[in-house]
Amino acid sequence: MSRPAMLTVDDDQAVARAVARDLRRRYGRNFQIIRASSGAGALDALRELKLRGGRVAAMLADYRMPQMNGIEFLEQAMDLFPHARRAILTAYADTDAAIQAINVVDVDHYLLKPWDPPEEKLYPVVDALLEAWQAAGDREVEEVKVVGHRWSAPSYRIRDFLASNLVPYRWFAADEPEGRRLLDAAEATPEAVPLVVTPDGQALSAPTAAEVAAVVGLSTAPVRDFYDLIIVGGGPAGLGAAVYGASEGLHTVLVERRAIGGQAGQSSRIENYLGFPDGVSGAQLTERARLQAGKFDAEVLTTREAVGLEARGSARVVRFSDGNELSAHTVILATGVSYRPLAAPGVATLVGRGVYYGSAATEGPSCAATDIYIVGGANSAGQAAIFFSRFARSVTLLVRGDSLERSMSYYLIQQIAGVDNIAVRTRCEVIQAHGDEHLESITLRDSKNGTTTTLPCGHLFVFIGAQPRTEWLDGTVRRDRRGFICTGPDLLVEGDRPTGWDRDRDPFYLESSVPGVFAAGDVRANSVKRVASAVGEGAMAVTLVHRYLEAR
């Protein structure tokens, strides 16, 4: 039998030659390397290969191509070779589209250009694609399937959980033919949604996030009884601490209640992070950090909600909502902050059914040709406005202040000003949300003139406030009046150390009122609320962990 083929398509001739050269260098002995310069040309090559009875192991397509982009090409190529593994070649600016392709169009992976050196950035991905193709053989390649209702809050939570954790899935509406077939096969009623069907055929009706995590391959259980370092929170600070802790030889475990990346992971594009001149999506930055932590053998556990912390002798113990606990020499609290609930009548009952906290990128395609509203005036709201402007007919930023200048970065303000379908309404707030099964309209109050207006609205995204989730630390570590964790010099009152402090030294700079328990990132009182500073504090906290361990 002839060698199976690997196909690459890119309209940039220099890139196309480089891809083919790198693939031929490593895989040319066992695979035919076919190069095309357009989607149409690649489809012609695949049709000819199909007629000759050939096989295709993998297809790599550039996202930005004229006439037919990479996603459109792969959709058609799937009809010819449905078992071939598929990857999108993309630049940093297009990573959101690549992630959408993974979650919606059944793409297996995406590769960032440039990938020099290929030994580190190209070959490991291609190796994984080929291993998956060889393992599947002629069997149909399945993905996680989710069946639910469009305006069901539980269905939205499952979709958002999978997307936030970069788990590929395919969505089926419960009232459409394929959705009904899946429900019938699982002997589930349309009311028993969401239904999650795993690649091996296991069906879960109305599962919890923890149950879904367990069946889709996310780690939820620790492998050790005792660690050097427990990190609570998987945002930039937690990931920074995990990378530095594990790379410096500490037995490290990071626990996250929802999805790795935190609020930063939801950002559609971060343009002021050092080293990414073209910007980087929060999901891409998060995934790179997670892989880097795994490279150094840090454990990363999801769906583990911390509910208690205590000191037991020299050990620091974190208790979880499922009744289990973990022990370690030290703990870094990096739980970040959450968006404050919008206190307006009607909002709470419509969360997940038209009202969303955070960017909810999975809702992007659903916003097509609609008018959406975003509440908030900080960077996260601005990034969301740019993202949703690609889908929606119009995007309106609702800001309580007089302008964006005091709360949003200059570069974002300039970008927003340059997008025709984004409008900014200042001194304006939502005072009520209306709708039965889903959000239908909102009432706004304009404080400039005291008038109120009710407007049609199907999507409302909320980015207000920054409140820490630290209630579970009540009575254990000192917090300020807003709930942020006090550390280092902030713990000293007129030179006196915290009550109960049992060390013959002052607390280290990021150390809390409990020796051996540190705080990093947005959850720490008086911290700088930026991704770069959070990563830096995570790394700095590990340095202080070493000092603590040496001084015990």
Side-chain angles (χ1 to χ4, degrees):
M1 185 177 294
S2 63
R3 291 175 298 164
M6 297 175 62
L7 180 140
T8 175
V9 52
D10 197 309
D11 65 306
D12 186 321
Q13 293 294 333
V15 174
R17 286 193 296 269
V19 177
R21 179 201 64 218
D22 289 341
L23 293 179
R24 193 172 290 112
R25 181 182 302 160
R26 185 176 180 98
Y27 307 104
R29 176 173 296 182
N30 299 316
F31 294 88
Q32 302 178 59
I33 308 301
I34 300 174
R35 174 165 61 93
S37 59
S38 69
L43 288 175
D44 288 341
L46 290 177
R47 292 187 187 100
E48 182 180 347
L49 196 61
K50 187 76 171 179
L51 291 175
R52 292 192 282 110
R55 296 175 297 157
V56 177
M59 297 182 285
L60 285 69
D62 181 48
Y63 172 66
R64 286 191 179 274
M65 294 188 293
Q67 286 79 52
M68 181 187 300
N69 67 35
I71 296 174
E72 293 167 340
F73 160 72
L74 289 175
E75 284 186 289
Q76 296 187 45
M78 287 166 60
D79 295 333
L80 295 168
F81 292 94
H83 306 305
R85 310 308 286 192
R86 298 168 286 276
I88 283 285
L89 308 178
T90 182
Y92 285 124
D94 294 321
T95 51
D96 293 312
I99 292 169
Q100 180 186 348
I102 290 175
N103 289 328
V104 179
V105 194
D106 201 23
V107 172
D108 298 300
H109 215 292
Y110 65 92
L111 283 160
L112 289 175
K113 301 186 294 183
W115 48 68
D116 187 58
E119 289 78 11
E120 296 181 10
K121 299 180 180 180
L122 174 65
Y123 296 150
V125 172
V126 177
D127 287 346
L129 294 176
L130 295 178
E131 288 174 7
W133 176 77
Q134 291 168 340
D138 292 331
R139 299 190 304 274
E140 181 181 356
V141 178
E142 298 284 353
E143 68 282 288
V144 174
K145 299 180 177 69
V146 181
V147 183
H149 297 300
R150 172 69 185 87
W151 297 112
S152 160
S155 297
Y156 162 72
R157 285 194 292 268
I158 291 298
R159 289 190 294 124
D160 189 55
F161 174 77
L162 291 171
S164 298
N165 285 284
L166 300 183
V167 177
Y169 73 92
R170 188 176 292 275
W171 164 259
F172 300 91
D175 56 357
E176 295 180 352
E178 186 60 25
R180 288 195 294 268
R181 283 193 287 270
L182 287 169
L183 288 171
D184 291 342
E187 299 182 342
T189 65
E191 292 74 27
V193 296
L195 177 74
V196 176
V197 183
T198 65
D200 61 2
Q202 183 180 356
L204 290 77
S205 185
T208 64
E211 291 170 335
V212 172
V215 299
V216 300
L218 298 176
S219 297
T220 59
V223 300
R224 302 173 62 91
D225 296 325
F226 194 91
Y227 292 84
D228 295 318
L229 171 62
I230 298 171
I231 302 164
V232 185
L239 287 167
V243 168
Y244 280 89
S247 68
E248 293 174 10
L250 299 177
H251 293 301
T252 302
V253 59
L254 182 153
V255 293
E256 165 59 41
R257 68 182 184 88
R258 181 180 170 273
I260 302 301
Q263 285 190 11
Q266 299 178 32
S267 296
S268 57
R269 194 176 183 186
I270 303 169
E271 295 196 65
N272 57 354
Y273 188 70
L274 185 67
F276 293 88
D278 296 322
V280 60
S281 74
Q284 172 63 20
L285 188 62
T286 295
E287 180 65 3
R288 285 188 163 208
R290 186 190 65 79
L291 291 173
Q292 192 172 16
K295 171 185 175 182
F296 296 116
D297 295 326
E299 290 182 51
V300 177
L301 310 180
T302 57
T303 66
R304 302 304 298 268
E305 182 175 8
V307 296
L309 171 69
E310 62 179 288
R312 295 181 190 167
S314 63
R316 303 295 178 258
V317 181
V318 178
R319 299 192 308 275
F320 299 99
S321 58
D322 60 3
N324 292 314
E325 57 184 36
L326 278 178
S327 301
H329 293 303
T330 58
V331 172
I332 294 177
L333 302 172
T335 50
V337 294
S338 299
Y339 295 116
R340 179 167 51 83
L342 180 60
V347 169
T349 58
L350 294 170
V351 173
R353 297 187 293 134
V355 176
Y356 307 96
Y357 286 92
S359 61
T362 54
E363 294 299 303
S366 301
C367 296
T370 64
D371 303 309
I372 73 167
Y373 293 82
I374 295 175
V375 183
N379 279 9
S380 54
Q383 290 161 352
I386 297 293
F387 172 74
F388 286 112
S389 69
R390 306 171 192 170
F391 303 94
R393 179 171 52 223
S394 71
V395 177
T396 303
L397 271 170
L398 305 174
V399 184
R400 293 186 64 179
D402 295 326
S403 68
L404 294 174
E405 276 71 16
R406 294 185 61 184
S407 56
M408 189 178 292
S409 294
Y410 177 76
Y411 80 90
L412 267 176
I413 296 175
Q414 295 300 106
Q415 284 189 11
I416 288 171
V419 180
D420 292 337
N421 64 335
I422 299 180
V424 180
R425 291 186 60 172
T426 58
R427 298 181 63 185
C428 182
E429 60 182 323
V430 177
I431 61 172
Q432 191 167 0
H434 312 273
D436 294 324
E437 292 185 359
H438 59 86
L439 179 67
E440 297 174 359
S441 62
I442 56 174
T443 299
L444 306 180
R445 178 168 57 209
D446 191 328
S447 62
K448 292 189 290 291
N449 51 35
T451 60
T452 61
T453 310
T454 298
L455 301 170
C457 176
H459 294 83
L460 179 70
F461 300 92
V462 182
F463 296 83
I464 58 173
Q467 60 181 26
R469 299 178 58 90
T470 57
E471 299 84 359
W472 62 284
L473 296 170
D474 190 29
T476 305
V477 300
R478 183 185 295 178
R479 300 173 295 153
D480 67 12
R481 59 183 179 81
R482 294 185 299 164
F484 292 93
I485 299 171
C486 299
T487 59
D490 292 339
L491 293 170
L492 303 177
V493 179
E494 296 181 354
D496 292 333
R497 294 166 182 164
T499 302
W501 186 259
D502 62 357
R503 305 297 161 111
D504 188 23
R505 60 171 175 80
D506 290 344
F508 295 134
Y509 184 71
L510 299 181
E511 196 169 19
S512 75
S513 58
V514 177
V517 175
F518 301 82
D522 290 359
V523 75
R524 191 178 68 83
N526 301 316
S527 65
V528 177
K529 305 298 189 281
R530 287 291 185 269
V531 175
S533 60
V535 173
E537 287 196 6
M540 180 180 178
V542 171
T543 298
L544 299 177
V545 163
H546 282 293
R547 290 177 60 184
Y548 170 84
L549 293 174
E550 292 167 358
R552 283 187 307 148

